[in-house]
Amino acid sequence: MTIILGIESSCDETGVGIVRLGADGSVELLADEVASSVEQHARFGGVVPEVASRAHLEAMVPTMRRAFDVAGLRLSDVDAIAVTCGPGLAGALLVGVSAAKAYALSLGVPLYGVNHLAGHVAADTLEHGALPSPSLALLVSGGHSQLLRVDDVASRITEIGSTIDDAAGEAYDKVARVLDLPYPGGPPIDKAAQRGNPRAIAFPRGLTGPRDARHDFSFSGLKTSVARWVEAQERAGAAIPVDDVAASFQEAVADVLTAKAVRAATDLDITTLIISGGVAANSRLKQLAAERCAAAGITLRVPRPRLCTDNGAMIAALGAHLVATGVTPSSLDLTTDPALPVSVISV
Ligand code: KG4
Ligand code: ZN
């Protein structure tokens, strides 16, 4: 039995997770504590890196204490530590990595610097067990929109496609601003969309033409198109049908994400799709993905929302898979890499 501590600080959530790795390779979640600085960023309409770093610094030790209380464990019970070392905000990553190094050094346990994106994939194993090989992962958050081929979450992940401009969550946040809805924009748009007509306005589906990159995404044109449409209404002195705009925008996002994910799975002959990241909480995305996966004979796995957004449990889970696979730990010279490619699962 092995206890693994996971630390996450790549964006605006300070996450501490604790898992138990069983002798049979099973991973059990013992604690998942998160402190978010999202409210401190709300008035800026996006994450302010310096504010996030300071918030991590303040939240790290209290969040750690809460996680150990919930798990009913002590620091001395920890056998290994995993920490996000990239990709993410440089200053924010530094807080988690520095904390992890200090804990690893003082406890005399191995340290694993891990990839945040691989962590999002590993999160699903906490809910649905081991991943079939290969699996396809659709990661959709405020910072990322990617399609990944996952042969082994601990050792082999390959990028199949990604956004060439905005991330899906970023588009939600920007469109929310245009509609005078609060930040982060995903939840209020999702709610408004449920009252609106998804066919009211025909917004563009980026990169879906016959000559466009098959597996890449683009959301910047969609965001601009929504902004232009709203501006035109305002110029004409007409009221903005917020619910219809939200529903039509959301339909365009969900349509493109699910169509491209199913197409990639079919192209690569993969029959399991995992959707993770903050946008995986979206009601229409989940509904359309379920319909299209069922029609294509693909098994869909979406972790519960709490595991989809940034957290420490996913980092602990990834750490457990690395320990189980016998991957060499990182050195205490470990550095952060804000642009760490997804193919580098641990450093
Ligand atoms: O994974 P996450 O918590 O943090 C990042 O790594 O970015 O994702 C946050 C993003 C935000 O852009 C937020 O607007 C979006 O996820 N989001 C949603 C929903 N809930 C959160 N987007 C669409 N629908 C939702 N229900
Ligand atoms: Zn994330």
Side-chain angles (χ1 to χ4, degrees), residues 301-328:
R301 298 172 44 147
V302 186
R304 56 185 179 271
R306 165 95 193 182
L307 289 173
C308 282
T309 50
D310 289 352
N311 64 80
M314 69 187 198
I315 302 304
L318 179 55
H321 295 300
L322 294 171
V323 170
T325 312
V327 171
T328 309

Side-chain angles (χ1 to χ4, degrees), residues 71-199:
L73 293 173
R74 303 196 299 168
L75 267 175
S76 56
D77 294 318
V78 171
D79 297 297
I81 299 176
V83 61
T84 303
C85 64
L89 303 171
L93 289 166
L94 211 50
V95 178
V97 168
S98 305
K101 282 184 184 178
Y103 284 114
L105 189 64
S106 63
L107 297 171
V109 298
L111 174 68
Y112 295 84
V114 304
N115 192 304
H116 176 81
L117 305 173
H120 272 303
V121 178
D124 185 63
T125 66
L126 287 170
E127 184 147 344
H128 299 114
L131 289 176
S133 177
S135 293
L136 184 74
L138 172 64
L139 280 194
V140 273
S141 72
H144 303 278
S145 298
Q146 287 168 313
L147 278 168
L148 308 171
R149 177 189 167 108
V150 183
D151 287 285
D152 182 337
V153 72
S155 63
R156 195 151 169 239
I157 298 182
T158 318
E159 185 176 293
I160 302 303
S162 75
T163 179
I164 59 165
D165 41 56
D166 292 347
E170 200 178 346
Y172 266 93
D173 298 338
K174 289 176 176 170
V175 165
R177 245 172 131 157
V178 167
L179 295 176
D180 273 333
L181 294 171
Y183 171 85
I189 290 185
D190 198 350
K191 209 165 156 202
Q194 283 162 34
R195 297 183 296 253
N197 174 7
R199 282 175 296 279

Side-chain angles (χ1 to χ4, degrees), residues 18 44 83 96 103 111-112 123 132 135 176 213-214 219-220 233 252 259 286 304:
I18 305 174
F44 302 104
V83 61
Y103 284 114
L111 174 68
Y112 295 84
S135 293
R214 276 179 86 71
F219 295 108
S220 145
Q233 290 289 110
K286 281 195 279 199
R304 56 185 179 271

Side-chain angles (χ1 to χ4, degrees), residues 208-214:
T208 50
R211 284 201 299 277
D212 289 332
R214 276 179 86 71

